[in-house]
Amino acid sequence: MNERPSSSRATEPLHASRHCFAQPRFADESAVLADAYRLLDDAVIRYQGHPVGTMASLDPRAPAENYRDCFVRDFVSAAFLMLLEGRSDVVREFLAMILRMRGQQEELEGQQVAPGVLPASFRVVTLDDGSEQLSADFGDRAIGRVAPVDSMMWWAVLLRAYVRFTGDTAFAHTPEVQRGLRMILSLCLQSRFEVFPTLLVPDGSFMIDRRMGVNGHPLEIQALFDMTLRAADLLTIDEGSHWLIDLARRRRGVLRDYVRRYYWLDLDVLNEVHRFSTEKFGHDVDNVFNIYPESIPEWVADWLPDDGGYFVGNLGPGRIDFRFFSQGNFLATTTGLATAEQGGLLMHTVTERWDDLVGQMPVKLVYPPVRGAEWRLMTGSDPKNVPWSYHNGGNWPVLVWPMVAAALVADRQDLGERAFRVAERRLMADNWPEYYDGRHGRLIGRRANLHQVWSATGLLLARHLLADPGRLVELALTEDEDSAPGNGRGGSAQREQGDD
Ligand code: GLC
């Protein structure tokens, strides 16, 4: 995989053709990749004639109407692709438009609307007179009324990617973008009742947007929080934002130390937890969260490889969620929230537990599933989230790109290529399912949409990254050299070993 995509940064007129991208995109484009581009092209949402986003799914039988919306989190992989393929104009328009939609959030009786919150999704509505209107959902219509905390974080990540890739700092410095970024950072950095540097969120506030016991301090949100704090470097230094920049930098430093230290699990840590003494008061205690050793699930000791490790899914008073959440682990590795050593150990875990985590489709969203009474209590008896399905142990093709990114940063290109080939073998033939079921992801998800757009864009983005790992730096996904608090250097090769 060494050919470069035939892309350019030149921008063609927005409405030049039905196709969003120049063709062909890869010198030896396979039928699978060509079909992924076809799905992406078909999914483009236009507003006043210009592309501004992509639908989540083109499946006419999708269970909920809002699968035709553009979800902020779903669009991210498409947006990265657009940057890489000369359509940064679309990304810029998307970023600006999402900010403008903030004003649409409904007032809730007795509550102040948080000004930094961004919509989960939006759609373009055509009115009787033929005019178009943007209609956003802030979780007030979404299934289960879940708060999309990750939207503002992905927006900040994408803004940073856009600015790094295009060099268009003027856009970042516009008053609207500066205001938006300040509001997002202020909201994340607000003082709360907490004593942890991590961010406290309700259940279902990110990619897992249902009850799944992911309230509290889920890893994925912490990894995105770290990336969001990094975007403070786009704030212009003036009287008004100096304190915010400083606060973001300091918070990021403690957040990173904390996640590296307390979320990390390997056999040594497990041994410690297994023998923890409890009920200790004071500063100098080992078991700071008062974790009862009896809470360690039986599967952990057998599953954790001798020379491996991973970040646990959640951490709080009396609570470690030992489940393996792929997205958080891979993002942490890509961005350098994980030390180089931790990234290497994580990839070793993926190798040793390949069948569990990748199997027949990269990658398992969460391992292992919850069952029985735990499933009833944790999910509210959700039939979509039965064991080995959907968010509860299903395999999600979109996760191939974070996995490839993490593998590249940890110098395990081989793992990234292997995962890519597994995905490429099935996705087009299966009509681009949203997720897969079963212990090893062999079955198309029982209630999965077909023609799911991020399943296609995830594969295309993974292909770009494998063809040129330098893209990770161009998209500002890896840590910048010398900018990480307490880290010294960024990038896999350069990061110092064991700098924890
Ligand atoms: C499901 C997923 C969510 C995604 C949405 C649209 O609700 O859980 O992560 O954004 O579908 O694809």
Side-chain angles (χ1 to χ4, degrees):
M1 300 216 186
N2 47 15
E3 83 281 17
R4 304 252 320 194
S6 56
S7 65
S8 85
R9 292 190 194 194
T11 303
E12 42 173 301
L14 281 170
H15 43 274
S17 74
R18 198 182 69 80
H19 297 290
C20 232
F21 305 116
Q23 299 180 24
R25 287 85 15 157
F26 291 100
D28 70 339
E29 193 167 288
S30 64
V32 178
L33 296 187
D35 198 52
Y37 278 110
R38 180 205 48 79
L39 178 56
L40 172 57
D41 271 332
D42 289 348
V44 167
I45 294 177
R46 288 179 164 73
Y47 179 60
Q48 298 177 344
H50 305 311
V52 289
T54 48
M55 288 178 246
S57 166
L58 295 192
D59 192 335
R61 297 173 317 166
E65 201 202 327
N66 63 346
Y67 275 112
R68 290 259 156 184
D69 281 16
C70 175
F71 282 72
V72 172
R73 76 174 70 84
D74 290 44
F75 183 62
V76 170
S77 41
F80 285 150
L81 268 182
M82 291 188 179
L83 288 177
L84 298 179
E85 303 204 9
R87 298 310 306 257
S88 53
D89 53 324
V90 180
V91 178
R92 182 187 160 118
E93 190 49 33
F94 172 84
L95 288 166
M97 236 180 55
I98 292 289
L99 272 190
R100 288 200 295 273
M101 282 182 223
R102 271 185 315 123
Q104 287 194 14
Q105 195 177 6
E106 279 173 32
E107 293 272 342
L108 302 170
E109 185 64 27
Q111 284 185 36
Q112 225 180 11
V113 173
V117 171
L118 296 184
S121 69
F122 73 88
R123 66 179 60 179
V124 177
V125 181
T126 308
L127 303 178
D128 288 345
D129 64 1
S131 62
E132 289 175 335
Q133 231 176 40
L134 294 167
S135 165
D137 172 48
F138 289 83
D140 45 325
R141 274 177 287 145
I143 298 164
R145 304 290 184 265
V146 280
V149 177
D150 66 339
S151 280
M152 60 183 171
M153 298 175 157
W154 280 119
W155 182 88
V157 170
L158 195 53
L159 173 67
R160 213 161 164 271
Y162 168 81
V163 173
R164 174 69 55 85
F165 195 82
T166 61
D168 184 5
T169 39
F171 175 66
H173 291 170
T174 55
E176 298 75 37
V177 173
Q178 287 288 306
R179 201 176 312 123
L181 198 52
R182 269 201 306 272
M183 284 176 167
I184 290 170
L185 287 166
S186 310
L187 182 60
C188 291
L189 288 166
Q190 237 169 44
S191 311
R192 295 185 171 81
F193 297 111
E194 285 269 277
V195 291
F196 309 125
T198 37
L199 199 67
L200 177 70
V201 293
D203 216 346
S205 62
F206 54 105
M207 178 178 176
I208 299 180
D209 55 359
R210 293 185 168 230
R211 255 184 86 177
M212 262 292 285
V214 289
N215 53 313
H217 308 89
L219 176 67
E220 180 170 330
I221 285 286
Q222 311 317 321
L224 286 168
F225 185 27
D226 174 56
M227 295 167 91
T228 305
L229 291 174
R230 201 164 62 165
D233 63 6
L234 292 175
L235 286 178
T236 51
I237 302 174
D238 59 33
E239 284 296 300
S241 53
H242 199 273
W243 67 274
L244 197 55
I245 297 171
D246 185 50
L247 189 62
R249 191 186 49 76
R250 285 187 290 129
R251 179 68 169 266
R252 186 159 182 249
V254 285
L255 174 72
R256 288 165 78 90
D257 287 347
Y258 180 92
V259 171
R260 288 170 176 184
R261 174 153 179 216
Y262 293 115
Y263 279 65
W264 184 250
L265 185 76
D266 57 23
L267 206 53
D268 289 342
V269 177
L270 187 63
N271 263 300
E272 262 177 62
V273 178
H274 181 67
R275 294 169 52 78
F276 261 161
S277 52
T278 58
E279 320 293 340
K280 299 286 184 207
F281 176 81
H283 286 299
D284 292 327
V285 297
D286 290 342
N287 187 2
V288 291
F289 304 100
N290 199 33
I291 305 294
Y292 296 106
E294 291 75 7
S295 69
I296 302 173
E298 217 178 281
W299 61 270
V300 180
D302 297 331
W303 193 76
L304 188 64
D306 282 346
D307 302 316
Y310 66 94
F311 292 108
V312 295
N314 214 321
L315 184 69
R319 175 187 188 196
I320 295 180
D321 183 341
F322 288 89
R323 287 176 292 172
F324 181 99
F325 288 75
S326 295
Q327 173 90 308
N329 270 288
F330 292 143
L331 288 180
T333 303
T334 303
T335 59
L337 172 58
T339 64
E341 191 188 4
Q342 288 171 334
L345 293 171
L346 172 73
M347 283 301 148
H348 183 69
T349 303
V350 174
T351 316
E352 291 289 301
R353 298 291 174 253
W354 185 266
D355 287 345
D356 292 333
L357 297 175
V358 178
Q360 300 300 311
M361 179 54 64
V363 180
K364 191 74 78 196
L365 183 56
V366 178
Y367 179 90
V370 288
R371 311 147 186 267
E374 205 178 2
W375 166 77
R376 277 195 297 280
L377 289 171
M378 207 179 253
T379 72
S381 301
D382 184 347
K384 207 164 167 177
N385 271 337
V386 291
W388 303 116
S389 188
Y390 201 46
H391 300 144
N392 189 18
N395 295 38
W396 287 65
V398 65
L399 295 178
V400 72
W401 85 259
M403 169 160 175
V404 162
L408 291 170
V409 168
D411 285 332
R412 293 299 308 267
Q413 172 133 4
D414 58 316
L415 291 185
E417 284 180 0
R418 198 172 149 203
F420 178 86
R421 282 194 299 272
V422 173
E424 195 187 27
R425 221 172 17 236
R426 293 179 70 191
L427 281 173
M428 179 174 109
D430 293 344
N431 273 319
W432 307 99
E434 179 187 20
Y435 65 94
Y436 284 77
D437 283 351
R439 194 177 282 270
H440 303 303
R442 290 184 74 194
L443 303 169
I444 297 172
R446 175 169 288 156
R447 298 173 194 227
N449 299 325
L450 303 179
H451 317 291
Q452 186 79 12
V453 177
W454 66 358
S455 298
T457 51
L459 190 76
L460 291 170
L461 181 56
R463 183 66 170 78
H464 266 288
L465 300 178
L466 287 167
D468 181 1
R471 297 303 204 181
L472 287 169
V473 180
E474 293 175 32
L475 294 172
L477 284 166
T478 52
E479 185 60 52
D480 302 337
E481 288 197 21
D482 299 327
S483 74
N487 192 17
R489 314 190 63 128
S492 66
Q494 299 97 333
R495 245 186 291 135
E496 282 147 27
Q497 290 285 323
D499 51 352
D500 189 9

